[in-house]
Amino acid sequence: MPSPVCYCQPRPHRPEAVSCLGGGWRTFGLILALLPGLAGGAAPSSPPFPGAPAVLNIARAHDSAASDTAAAILQRAYALAGLPLRLEPLPASRASQRLDAGRLDGEVARIGPYFDAHPALLRVGPPLMQVSLVAYVRSDAGFTVRGVADLRGRRVGIVRGLLQSERLVAGLDRVTEVTSGTQLYRMLAAGRLDVVVDAPLNQRRHTAQLGLRNVVAQATLCEQPAYHGLHRRHAALAPRLAAALEAMQASGELAALAAGVEPASAPLLATR
């Protein structure tokens, strides 16, 4: 059986990714020009952008604390850019299908390889956050996971449609895919799985919701940046949104939101 391959090494920015970064005062001046509401200091939002659609329907992953965090970042960025945002919670694989059919205006956050697999999606601005995948086991597991190779022969669970997870476990023959993270941890607690591969934000939420105290992290298997994506039909809006994200990055607001307390409302991760 072939060895599992991890495709999670961060990839360099593709030239087509929309960014306003140019360095130094030139960059800051461009951000102020695109987002005049920032010129007088921090502003809650910018006026509506002329010519923008009535609403932009952006998919977020349901039942995902990591996606909630990215969504909170985007709510701020869209307000700064004066763009109308509607977040639509969808299962990961269904969001991909709707994007490919042209029935979505974008997705909250995706890893680099997802954009390669779905060329209708345009990567916008700096990364929203780093998405880590960690191996979680019960405290009485009796084995240790130090890397991807240690997953071989184990019953491994992932959320269906998450490209990062699917590529990580490619080549393993005892993988279970489910539709929600809550389901994963119920199966782990019941002894139906040996290992859950998930993001730390998700693990903390689901184990707290289920009252599980015997789930422990054993190894970080993969880490990759996640970016916001707009459908290419909205390419004209991308520079303005990129400028908002870059302004948030420069002020430290983006990092604070990415590392902050989990949003109270429910949604990287990337899907196939």
Side-chain angles (χ1 to χ4, degrees):
M1 178 175 59
S3 297
V5 178
C6 179
Y7 291 87
C8 297
Q9 294 81 8
R11 295 188 177 189
H13 295 292
R14 295 196 304 177
E16 64 179 355
V18 176
S19 171
C20 292
L21 290 177
W25 289 103
R26 181 180 178 185
T27 298
F28 190 67
L30 179 57
I31 290 173
L32 290 181
L34 286 171
L35 302 175
L38 294 178
S45 63
S46 293
F49 182 55
V55 67
L56 289 161
N57 290 300
I58 307 297
R60 67 176 187 176
H62 82 130
D63 196 29
S64 167
S67 189
D68 280 352
T69 300
I73 294 170
L74 284 189
Q75 286 176 318
R76 173 62 173 155
Y78 272 71
L80 283 174
L83 296 174
L85 171 66
R86 178 179 178 271
L87 293 167
E88 186 171 352
L90 290 170
S93 56
R94 189 181 306 168
S96 297
Q97 294 167 1
R98 292 190 60 180
L99 173 76
D100 292 340
R103 295 168 57 200
L104 283 175
D105 297 309
E107 304 211 40
V108 164
R110 299 299 189 185
I111 60 170
Y114 183 88
F115 292 85
D116 297 331
H118 298 268
L121 199 64
L122 179 66
R123 194 170 74 188
V124 179
L128 302 185
M129 61 198 302
Q130 293 288 325
V131 177
S132 300
L133 290 181
V134 176
Y136 293 100
V137 303
R138 289 175 24 162
S139 56
D140 60 354
F143 61 89
T144 301
V145 176
R146 297 183 178 87
V148 178
D150 296 320
L151 300 178
R152 188 178 292 109
R154 304 293 180 189
R155 296 170 299 169
V156 179
I158 64 171
V159 173
R160 180 179 297 115
L162 300 183
L163 181 65
Q164 194 174 13
S165 301
E166 290 177 342
R167 291 190 170 184
L168 187 74
V169 301
L172 300 178
D173 58 2
R174 303 185 72 187
V175 176
T176 298
E177 298 184 13
V178 299
T179 57
S180 76
T182 303
Q183 197 175 351
L184 280 182
Y185 292 96
R186 283 180 175 147
M187 293 177 70
L188 182 66
R192 295 168 57 195
L193 291 175
D194 299 317
V195 183
V196 165
V197 175
D198 201 5
L201 275 174
N202 297 338
Q203 181 269 338
R204 288 196 289 272
R205 169 185 283 181
H206 296 312
T207 53
Q209 288 175 337
L210 296 172
L212 301 178
R213 300 182 180 275
N214 65 336
V215 176
V216 296
Q218 288 209 332
T220 298
L221 304 174
C222 187
E223 185 173 42
Q224 199 165 12
Y227 300 84
H228 179 44
L230 273 180
H231 196 284
R232 288 184 180 278
R233 64 175 172 267
H234 300 303
L237 303 178
R240 186 174 183 86
L241 188 53
L245 289 168
E246 287 159 6
M248 292 171 64
Q249 184 182 55
S251 70
E253 186 177 10
L254 194 156
L257 286 170
V261 176
E262 179 183 323
S265 62
L268 162 113
L269 294 176
T271 70
R272 65 185 170 201

